[in-house]
Amino acid sequence: MTSPVYPTTWRRPPQIVKDRRWRIALQVAIMIYLVLAISTVEVNWSRVYDGLERGQRFVMGFLQPDFTSRWKDISQGLIESLTMTLTSTVVGVAISVPIGIGAARNLAPRWIYYICRSIIAVSRALQEVIIAIFLVAMFGFGPFAGFLTLSFATIGFIAKLLADDIEEIEEAQAEAVRATGASWWQLVNYAVQPQVMPRLIGLALYRLDINFRESAVIGIVGAGGIGATLNTAINRYEYDSAGAILLIIIGIVMVTEYSSSYLRKFLQ
């Protein structure tokens, strides 16, 4: 068995623009654009000075967090965020699986493929905050709007990556199952599912982490959760309580990150 041969000399990567004069012209044009763009930024230095003072108070509150004064509101917002995160991830993943299968070109008929890809495109085109504002206007303030927002965002995220994974499966295994005269459901169960299931579990855990962080963002626009409590604390200039909330969010995100990394390693 021969060992692989590695290159011993550096080779310049191919360039998109090969003419040196055009490259220089593009670089000059980019620099001019950046200078003009920066010159259009209007800076109110007095407001910057006032902002630095408020920022210093916020940092001091962050260094001296107060967990007791608003603990009832913090705990209620935290429970809402965790509930929204878990339920939206479960519901979003459950809906994403059939959409992801339908969006795989090598499994679904063309008309189903286009419908599922359109659903994914709409879900990915809208940011969570925009969806949350729309759903809060429809259903009012509270965690229900946050649950719907995170579920909708989860569908686009999971279904897109799942469909891409299905399209990249090992075709030899799928052809072997087809050769036995298996039905479409048997093909999915015995050829597709074993190849994509570890990846799907990893994506679900990753989305769980994302949904908790997003629950803190969409709460600012009235979708419930710990974000609403954080927004209230900042509006009341209770920076020590805001610092406590941020520390809780950071702690939970770190625990989720390490736990999901361990579970992904264990499953794979």
Side-chain angles (χ1 to χ4, degrees):
M1 181 177 179
T2 60
S3 59
V5 179
Y6 297 99
T8 57
T9 58
W10 180 82
R11 295 182 60 184
R12 187 172 185 176
Q15 297 180 340
I16 299 176
V17 181
K18 297 182 179 180
D19 193 328
R20 184 172 180 271
R21 292 170 297 180
W22 277 107
R23 291 200 303 270
I24 295 175
L26 287 174
Q27 293 171 2
V28 172
I30 291 173
M31 291 301 299
I32 293 174
Y33 172 78
L34 290 176
V35 172
L36 293 175
I38 294 174
S39 64
T40 59
V41 179
E42 299 180 358
V43 181
N44 189 339
W45 293 107
S46 61
R47 188 168 183 176
V48 171
Y49 178 77
D50 295 337
L52 290 175
E53 182 181 357
R54 290 193 297 268
Q56 181 181 5
R57 283 185 290 161
F58 181 79
V59 171
M60 294 304 297
F62 187 81
L63 296 176
Q64 298 176 346
D66 181 11
F67 293 91
T68 58
S69 298
R70 293 177 56 84
W71 176 247
K72 182 178 180 181
D73 295 333
I74 293 174
S75 61
Q76 181 179 355
L78 184 60
I79 292 173
E80 286 184 357
S81 284
L82 293 175
T83 304
M84 284 193 303
T85 300
L86 182 59
T87 55
S88 63
T89 303
V90 172
V91 172
V93 171
I95 300 175
S96 299
V97 171
I99 295 177
I101 294 174
R105 193 187 300 270
N106 55 345
L107 284 182
R110 185 175 298 271
W111 65 276
I112 295 180
Y113 170 81
Y114 284 121
I115 292 175
C116 293
R117 283 289 176 176
S118 300
I119 295 173
I120 293 174
V122 172
S123 176
R124 288 169 53 82
L126 301 175
Q127 287 290 333
E128 283 85 348
V129 174
I130 299 175
I131 303 172
I133 293 174
F134 176 72
L135 292 176
V136 166
M138 288 181 60
F139 302 106
F141 297 99
F144 182 66
F147 160 75
L148 294 178
T149 299
L150 296 177
S151 298
F152 186 74
T154 301
I155 292 172
F157 179 85
I158 297 291
K160 171 67 167 61
L161 297 177
L162 177 61
D164 293 343
D165 288 338
I166 293 175
E167 291 180 349
E168 296 174 0
I169 62 172
E170 183 64 39
E171 286 296 334
Q173 183 173 346
E175 290 298 330
V177 174
R178 286 192 185 98
T180 63
S183 64
W184 185 86
W185 286 107
Q186 290 172 329
L187 173 67
V188 172
N189 189 29
Y190 293 106
V192 177
Q193 182 264 343
Q195 297 189 57
V196 302
M197 182 57 73
R199 171 72 168 167
L200 177 60
I201 295 175
L203 289 174
L205 294 173
Y206 181 48
R207 187 65 210 188
L208 183 71
D209 180 16
I210 295 176
N211 281 345
F212 179 76
R213 286 184 278 125
E214 291 296 335
S215 69
V217 177
I218 63 176
I220 297 176
V221 297
I226 195 68
T229 309
L230 176 62
N231 187 43
T232 302
I234 294 176
N235 289 337
R236 295 179 179 178
Y237 302 103
E238 298 174 354
Y239 296 127
D240 49 358
S241 298
I245 295 171
L246 289 177
L247 286 175
I248 292 174
I249 294 174
I250 293 172
I252 292 178
V253 169
M254 291 180 64
V255 170
T256 306
E257 176 66 23
Y258 288 120
S259 301
S260 61
S261 299
Y262 173 77
L263 287 175
R264 284 196 298 267
K265 185 183 298 184
F266 175 77
L267 293 169
Q268 294 176 355

